[in-house]
Amino acid sequence: MVKFELRYALRQPEAKGDNFQPRYQACIEQCAWGDKLGFSAVMISEHHGSPDGYMPSPMVIGGAIAAVTENMRIRILSLVGPLHNPVRFAEDLATLDLVSNGRLDPCISGGYVGYEFEAMGTSLANRKEYMEEIVPFLHKAWTGKPFEWKGKTIRVTPPPVQKPGPPIWMGGASKASARRAARYADVFLPAHADLMPVYREELQKLGKPPREPRGRSVMVWLAEDPDKFWAEFGPSALHENNVYGQWYEDWGAWNGYVTEKDTDSLRATGRYPVVTPDELVAQIEERGGNLTVMFHPMAGGAEPELAWES
């Protein structure tokens, strides 16, 4: 079965100014459009203090999306867990699950961009303890009943719609994160495929049944004339790619991106495929319809008008 999804980070390079409202408005309107067409999910992300305004409050955006959609899953991929107070984290996720009528899929990761942690008064060194504890904490919190935690009695109300709570996804780029996901997560999203054997081995040790990730997915941009589209879209793609790539170089956690010198070299990597509608249909048919197609229409600061065209 072919599925269609949307993705947003809502970046806008500083050279484009500081009026983000049209970009945020387009995100909400495009989600309403996608929901009416049967798109299965929207993926929104979280980072903090980025010069290009990378979306810092995905749960707020998630609530706005929930208000204009009825069926689309709201997937926050990913939430930088250690930057959130656990009690408030449980409350906000439960509230978003309530306003979306049980359509939330939270993906929790340990994060890797050091300056975000410094700005929040913590450090990368605190990630391991938090990530080991947060899922058991959420499971207790979402019962809606009082529970003991580190010498305190805590109660989180109201509970979420999904029972026993929203399915918890975990992302990661290390063997430790793969093993942790086997212990706690409902879904594991590895930064690279080499981690899946580690994940499966840990599941086997724990006596848990295999949990394979979702099927093959592709991220595409559509255009009747790909060359013409790339001429306008390429600089935005290069901005997104190189900021992610620089984060990888600065902080050492693989995120799938390597910096490129120009739009031509980036296009040659295939990381940002621009295809015609007919080419996309051919890809879907080649895979027997077993494919998830993701659109990332405003990637890197692409203008809303160009995003709608795609």
Side-chain angles (χ1 to χ4, degrees):
M1 177 181 177
V2 63
K3 295 182 179 180
F4 292 91
E5 299 181 353
L6 290 165
R7 175 183 172 185
Y8 297 95
L10 301 182
R11 320 179 88 137
Q12 182 165 294
E14 290 181 280
K16 291 193 174 189
D18 61 1
N19 182 13
F20 282 77
Q21 196 281 331
R23 189 170 303 281
Y24 275 63
Q25 187 66 35
C27 168
I28 303 304
E29 292 174 356
Q30 287 171 7
C31 286
W33 166 87
D35 190 62
K36 288 182 175 65
L37 290 178
F39 276 55
S40 61
V42 57
M43 182 184 118
I44 49 181
S45 306
E46 172 186 27
H47 278 292
H48 300 269
S50 180
D52 62 9
Y54 196 120
M55 184 198 310
S57 300
M59 284 188 266
V60 174
I61 296 298
I65 292 170
V68 299
T69 58
E70 295 181 357
N71 301 300
M72 181 184 288
R73 301 291 297 179
I74 299 170
R75 187 166 298 143
I76 308 181
L77 198 164
S78 60
L79 287 156
V80 186
L83 302 183
H84 294 266
N85 172 276
V87 174
R88 189 57 187 267
F89 198 43
E91 291 173 338
D92 285 347
L93 290 171
T95 301
L96 181 50
D97 199 57
L98 283 163
V99 300
S100 67
N101 193 24
R103 290 185 282 132
L104 175 63
D105 294 327
C107 179
I108 307 170
S109 71
Y112 64 97
V113 181
Y115 65 73
E116 297 180 317
F117 286 72
E118 294 167 6
M120 298 288 188
T122 184
S123 73
L124 292 170
N126 295 328
R127 291 178 297 175
K128 180 179 178 181
E129 180 182 2
Y130 185 99
M131 293 298 290
E132 287 291 335
E133 295 178 345
I134 188 58
V135 177
F137 179 89
L138 291 174
H139 286 160
K140 290 178 181 291
W142 287 339
T143 66
K145 299 175 182 178
F147 64 100
E148 296 298 316
W149 189 264
K150 294 186 176 181
K152 297 179 181 178
T153 300
I154 297 171
R155 187 175 188 183
V156 169
T157 59
V161 171
Q162 298 181 85
K163 305 299 181 189
I168 295 177
W169 301 35
M170 295 186 91
S174 66
K175 291 181 179 180
S177 68
R179 296 186 184 103
R180 182 184 303 119
R183 292 194 296 274
Y184 301 124
D186 297 295
V187 179
F188 176 47
L189 290 181
H192 46 86
D194 291 348
L195 293 174
M196 286 308 297
V198 179
Y199 173 68
R200 295 188 190 105
E201 181 181 358
E202 189 68 15
L203 284 175
Q204 188 174 18
K205 287 181 180 177
L206 296 168
K208 292 184 175 182
R211 300 185 214 140
E212 293 303 309
R214 57 188 187 150
R216 180 171 172 76
S217 64
V218 295
M219 187 158 59
V220 299
W221 289 260
L222 288 181
E224 295 290 354
D225 184 338
D227 291 338
K228 180 181 177 183
F229 182 88
W230 182 259
E232 187 171 351
F233 173 64
S236 297
L238 185 66
H239 171 80
E240 178 180 88
N241 180 85
N242 283 359
V243 174
Y244 275 129
Q246 192 63 53
W247 282 348
Y248 166 55
E249 292 177 15
D250 290 344
W251 304 105
W254 174 242
N255 58 15
Y257 294 85
V258 176
T259 56
E260 301 291 338
K261 64 179 180 178
D262 54 36
T263 58
D264 289 338
S265 65
L266 176 60
R267 192 177 188 186
T269 68
R271 261 177 244 137
Y272 290 82
V274 180
V275 301
T276 67
D278 287 343
E279 288 170 337
L280 176 58
V281 170
Q283 287 186 43
I284 293 170
E285 291 176 343
E286 183 181 340
R287 294 177 174 86
N290 185 24
L291 188 68
T292 297
V293 179
M294 179 175 284
F295 296 118
H296 186 12
M298 288 187 281
E303 293 300 326
E305 294 79 7
L306 185 67
W308 277 115
E309 180 184 322
S310 178

